[in-house]
């Protein structure tokens, strides 16, 4: 049974204290908006009033978000005070932020309070006068007392007053929809370690950190990286060290836990003497590449990110040695990293 079918009888049963809310982000939906975001959507359509209360009896609303293939699934279930299911509905969306707004709109319609038909009429009515059933459910209209019936046979007996027309309930105020891919901006900061190959003559250990913004399905960050010195192959009894320092602009697209990025990097490579060599040489380099990985959330604000990348070195610093030998950066380089990411 759909939520829409359950809504008409349920509306008259909304308790004055509201309803309890259970909000769960299941597998694949850990990065979806928090519970407060859903409460804000519902409250915005109910005149700023949050209908959800903690604890107590009354009705209960369960919302479960999960990943289903390439889309997000939202399951809504409505229960009465005795735990009986009143209705349910399933909604899907390609973006979790848009799904939360759709779920909030559906709940606002169901939880919009109206006066029950069993409520007594205002005290203005005569004690023995009773409101007709068709007028008792029109709470927004002013009610007036019915005139006393004139004695039987009186020529001046007034005609019964016509029932006032029913006014329709105002429709739910639509929520302003933002671009799903750019919904929910959050600041992200990450630090971690990596192993790279190609900039130095042997695999190098390095460290990197980044800061950037994360939306629903897109992120943009600025990243800094340093590779620790690696000893080159001895040349005529002399040993050279190679290290690097660079910065990157990294735009990424995200689908659930997976992401793919582009890289634009600039920096410098340092060649310096380690044994029997004096001085150093600093040379610029530039690269373009691709990165892919998986981000596994530990909580709403903390995740681990595992990455792998392949870049083409456009500017290849070279150290020219005597005898025609050169110490040069490779045409391509690779790196794998593990980072800890915090979101704010």
């Amino acid at each position: 049974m759909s939520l829409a079918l359950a809504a008409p009888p349920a509306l008259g049963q909304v308790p004055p204290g509201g309803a309890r809310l259970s909000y769960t982000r299941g597998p694949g939906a850990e990065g979806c908006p928090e519970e407060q975001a859903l409460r804000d959507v519902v409250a915005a359509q109910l005149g700023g009033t949050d209908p959800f209360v903690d604890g107590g009896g009354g009705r209960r609303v369960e919302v479960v978000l999960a990943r289903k293939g390439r889309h997000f699934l939202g399951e809504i279930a409505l229960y009465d005070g005795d735990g009986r299911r009143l209705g349910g509905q399933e909604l899907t969306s390609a973006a979790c932020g848009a799904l939360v707004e759709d779920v909030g709109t559906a709940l606002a319609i169901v939880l919009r309070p109206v006066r029950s038909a069993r409520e007594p009429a205002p005290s203005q009515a005569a004690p023995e006068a009773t409101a007709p059933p068709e007028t008792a459910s029109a709470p927004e209209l002013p009610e007036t007392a019915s005139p006393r019936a004139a004695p039987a046979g009186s020529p001046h007996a007034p005609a019964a007053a016509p029932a006032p027309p029913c006014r329709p309930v105002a429709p739910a105020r639509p929520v302003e929809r933002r671009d799903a891919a750019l919904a929910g901006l959050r600041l992200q900061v990450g630090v971690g370690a990596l192993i790279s190959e190609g900039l130095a003559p042997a695999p190098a250990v390095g460290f990197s950190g980044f800061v950037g913004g994360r939306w629903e399905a897109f992120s943009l960050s600025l990243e800094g990286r340093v590779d620790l010195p690696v000893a080159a192959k001895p040349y005529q009894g002399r040993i050279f060290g190679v290290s690097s320092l660079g910065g990157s602009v990294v735009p990424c697209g995200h689908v659930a836990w997976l992401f793919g990025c582009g890289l634009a990097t600039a920096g410098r490579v340092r060649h310096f003497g380690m044994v029997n060599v004096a001085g150093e040489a600093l040379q610029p380099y530039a690269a373009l590449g691709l990165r892919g990985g998986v981000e596994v959330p530990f909580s709403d604000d903390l995740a681990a990110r595992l990455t792998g990348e392949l870049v083409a070195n456009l500017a290849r610093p070279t150290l020219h040695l005597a005898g025609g030998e050169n110490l040069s950066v490779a045409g391509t380089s690779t790196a794998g990293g593990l980072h800890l990411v915090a979101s704010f």
Side-chain angles (χ1 to χ4, degrees), residues 10-23:
L11 286 175
Q13 302 170 10
V14 177
R20 289 177 295 143
L21 173 64
S22 172
Y23 181 78

Side-chain angles (χ1 to χ4, degrees), residues 81-246:
D82 297 326
R84 293 187 296 267
R85 183 183 172 98
L86 301 178
Q89 188 175 10
E90 291 186 355
L91 300 171
T92 60
S93 176
C96 202
L99 177 62
V100 170
E101 292 183 353
D102 291 341
V103 170
T105 299
L107 290 178
I109 295 174
V110 173
L111 296 176
R112 183 179 297 278
V114 297
R115 184 181 299 168
S116 170
R118 293 190 294 271
E119 286 186 13
S123 59
Q124 295 168 303
E128 65 275 14
T130 58
E134 62 271 15
T135 60
S137 60
E140 296 186 6
L141 296 177
E143 298 180 24
T144 56
S146 301
R148 289 181 179 274
S154 172
H156 303 292
C166 294
R167 291 188 296 180
V169 178
R173 181 170 63 85
V175 177
E176 293 184 6
R177 294 290 299 274
R178 298 167 292 177
D179 188 319
L182 298 179
L185 172 63
R186 302 186 73 184
L187 173 67
Q188 283 194 326
V189 177
V191 293
L194 53 89
I195 298 178
S196 64
E197 187 173 12
L199 291 180
V205 175
F207 300 93
S208 67
F210 70 88
V211 60
R214 168 71 188 272
W215 291 264
E216 181 74 35
F218 177 77
S219 66
L220 180 64
S221 60
L222 298 177
E223 182 177 301
R225 165 180 160 182
V226 57
D227 289 352
L228 300 181
V230 173
K233 181 180 178 181
Y235 172 75
Q236 294 183 355
R238 297 176 295 177
I239 299 179
F240 295 90
V242 182
S243 65
S244 61
L245 177 67

Side-chain angles (χ1 to χ4, degrees), residues 17 46 65 70 75 117 203 213 231 250 254 266 298:
L46 297 180
L65 306 182
R70 300 180 62 183
E75 298 183 74
V250 187
H254 299 258
F298 299 138

Side-chain angles (χ1 to χ4, degrees), residues 197-201 286 311-318 327-334:
E197 187 173 12
L199 291 180
V311 300
N313 298 313
L314 305 181
R316 301 171 56 188
T318 301
L327 190 60
S328 178
V329 168
T332 60
S333 57
T334 59

